[in-house]
Structure formats: structure tokens, C-alpha cells
Amino acid sequence: MTFIKCKDLVLGYNNKAVSAPLTFEVNEGDYLCIIGENGSGKSTLIKTLLGLQEKVSGEIDLFFNQDNTEAKTKSLKKLEIGYLPQRNEIQKDFPATVWEVVLSGTLASCGFFPFYTKAQKKLAVEKMEQMEITSIKNKSFHRLSGGQQQRVLLARALCAAEKILLLDEPVTGLDPKVTEELYEIIKDLNKKGITIIMVSHDMSSINYSTNVLRLGQKDFFFGTKDEYLKTLTSEDLSKWNS
């Protein structure tokens, strides 16, 4: 089943392109790792897929079901896509408890109803248990370690991620041990059926992926992890393994 298909998609701001035209697709169960130099449009791509940033040109198609012709005219429900943005100072100093942050991930499903339902609270509890953060439920978010904060934000994103989870530089600023733990968590989510789209500056993240999208201002690569590894020189691999 195809979830996302892009053809000749050009990313940018104010009609100024920052990427070459991109053609790629994301299918159910994929783990797509998006890499590239700073300024190549990695975060811009995530925001464009979410509808938070206008494209310069090209096509973006979001599908419910590849086999349903009628469904092809519809977009994936926003409630089916979870998003973990880059950590920033606002998030670090977020004046809320762990429980409040995770529960806020269900807001999109509230509609005009001003109170959380039992189902939403149950979902938040389940995601906290899944991320093993129940014991810090009542702690202030801004007092947590970087790794704990990412687990909380991941639990929050999972409250919305019925089908797809978009992650923008999820391990930035984390130590190697916490980074590996977070990668294993994301890998496990993928095995359980969540399609992963992750932006990363960390080359080792490719080890966990099924597909790679490398962005550039003049060209791009899209293919399987093994196909991408074949494009690397011995010098590239040496830097990667160092």
C-alpha cells in the first residue's frame, strides 16, 4: 500500500528552491531515512509533507489505500500521522508535566469538545507505558534529561501516529547510549507496523532503515539502504565507521 508519492517535488521558501526536484514514494511498513547536507531541505521536506510549508512546485499525493480507486482522491487523515519535531528551547522549557505533554498529543481528535475523553486518557497511558515513562508521569518536562524528553515527545507523537511517524533529527544532542536506545525504540515501532520517515544527520541511522532519500541542491538519491551503500566510496565508509 502506497502512503505517500512525490513527483518532481521542489522544496523551498517564497518560491526560492532549496532542493533538486524529488521523486520518491513511501509505502506501508517502510523505514525511510532522509539525509543530506545542512540547507539541503531535510526539515523543509517534513514540514511540506505535513502541510506546514508550501512546496515550490511538483506533486505530493497522500493515499489511504492503493487498491481503492476512490480513496486515491483523499488525503491521509492528519489523525493517522504523528510528528516529532526538532527539540528546541521552547520544548526544553515547556511548563507542563509529562502527563500533560503526552495527553496533549490527543488534542487533534478532540474536535470542538473542550475536555479529554476516557479513551484519550487511556491512549496516553498506553503510550507512556510503551515508552516506559509512567514512573515520571508527574515530573516537570523541562527538568527531564534529553533522553527522557525525547521519550515523552515520542509518546506524545504516538498518540496520533496510527499509520505514519515523522521524526525530525530525533537524536540531536543525545549521548551515544541514549541515541542507540532511541533508535531501537523507533526500530521496534516500525516492526509493529508504524511507517517511519526520519530526518537525520547521523549516518549510523541508515543501519535501521529500509530506504534512503539523500537530498541535494542539484541532485538526489532514492533507493534501498543496500543500493545507497553501494554508492559510497571507501573514504565515505571510513568516515561512517570512525
Side-chain angles (χ1 to χ4, degrees):
M1 180 188 300
T2 299
F3 280 162
I4 301 172
K5 183 177 289 185
C6 297
K7 182 178 181 181
D8 296 328
L9 174 63
V10 177
L11 308 170
Y13 296 89
N14 300 319
N15 287 322
K16 182 179 180 180
V18 298
S19 74
L22 307 174
T23 297
F24 67 95
E25 64 181 48
V26 180
N27 297 310
E28 183 177 16
D30 282 353
Y31 188 143
L32 175 65
C33 189
I34 302 172
I35 60 175
E37 298 293 332
N38 291 337
S40 61
K42 300 188 296 299
S43 295
T44 304
L45 173 57
I46 294 291
K47 292 176 183 177
T48 303
L49 293 177
L50 288 168
L52 303 175
Q53 173 71 39
E54 290 291 330
K55 64 185 179 182
V56 174
S57 61
E59 301 176 8
I60 302 176
D61 290 317
L62 305 179
F63 301 134
F64 274 135
N65 191 319
Q66 184 180 15
D67 300 321
N68 187 331
T69 302
E70 182 180 350
K72 287 186 177 183
T73 63
K74 303 177 183 179
S75 296
L76 275 164
K77 295 178 182 177
K78 289 185 178 179
L79 300 184
E80 297 173 329
I81 302 176
Y83 174 44
L84 194 158
Q86 290 186 26
R87 288 198 303 153
N88 53 45
E89 293 304 320
I90 295 177
Q91 289 175 339
K92 291 177 182 177
D93 297 328
F94 201 62
T97 64
V98 168
W99 168 246
E100 290 169 334
V101 173
V102 175
L103 189 58
S104 70
T106 68
L107 281 173
S109 61
C110 287
F112 293 104
F113 192 68
F115 304 105
Y116 291 109
T117 65
K118 288 183 179 180
Q120 289 168 328
K121 292 178 180 179
K122 180 182 178 182
L123 178 62
V125 169
E126 291 174 351
K127 299 310 176 185
M128 286 197 303
E129 291 175 347
Q130 188 175 1
M131 292 297 104
E132 300 180 350
I133 55 173
T134 306
S135 63
I136 59 173
K137 174 181 177 179
N138 297 316
K139 287 190 175 183
S140 297
F141 177 77
H142 75 276
R143 293 184 180 276
L144 303 179
S145 68
Q148 288 175 323
Q149 286 186 344
Q150 286 302 78
R151 282 177 180 259
V152 172
L153 294 174
L154 190 51
R156 181 181 185 275
L158 287 172
C159 285
E162 295 179 20
K163 293 185 177 180
I164 301 177
L165 183 60
L166 281 72
L167 308 160
D168 193 354
E169 301 278 12
V171 302
T172 299
L174 303 181
D175 64 51
K177 182 177 183 297
V178 176
T179 292
E180 186 176 352
E181 289 175 353
L182 195 62
Y183 280 151
E184 289 296 334
I185 289 172
I186 297 169
K187 179 182 177 181
D188 186 60
L189 291 172
N190 182 240
K191 287 182 176 179
K192 291 179 178 178
I194 298 290
T195 299
I196 303 294
I197 301 177
M198 182 174 70
V199 167
S200 182
H201 66 281
D202 177 15
M203 287 292 289
S204 67
S205 64
I206 295 174
N207 291 324
Y208 300 87
S209 69
T210 59
N211 299 308
V212 176
L213 175 62
R214 179 185 56 76
L215 304 187
Q217 292 185 338
K218 296 183 179 180
D219 60 5
F220 77 99
F221 171 91
F222 173 66
T224 67
K225 174 181 68 176
D226 291 338
E227 288 171 340
Y228 178 70
L229 293 178
K230 290 179 182 178
T231 70
L232 300 179
T233 65
S234 56
E235 183 178 356
D236 292 330
L237 292 171
S238 177
K239 291 180 181 178
W240 186 2
N241 295 323
S242 62

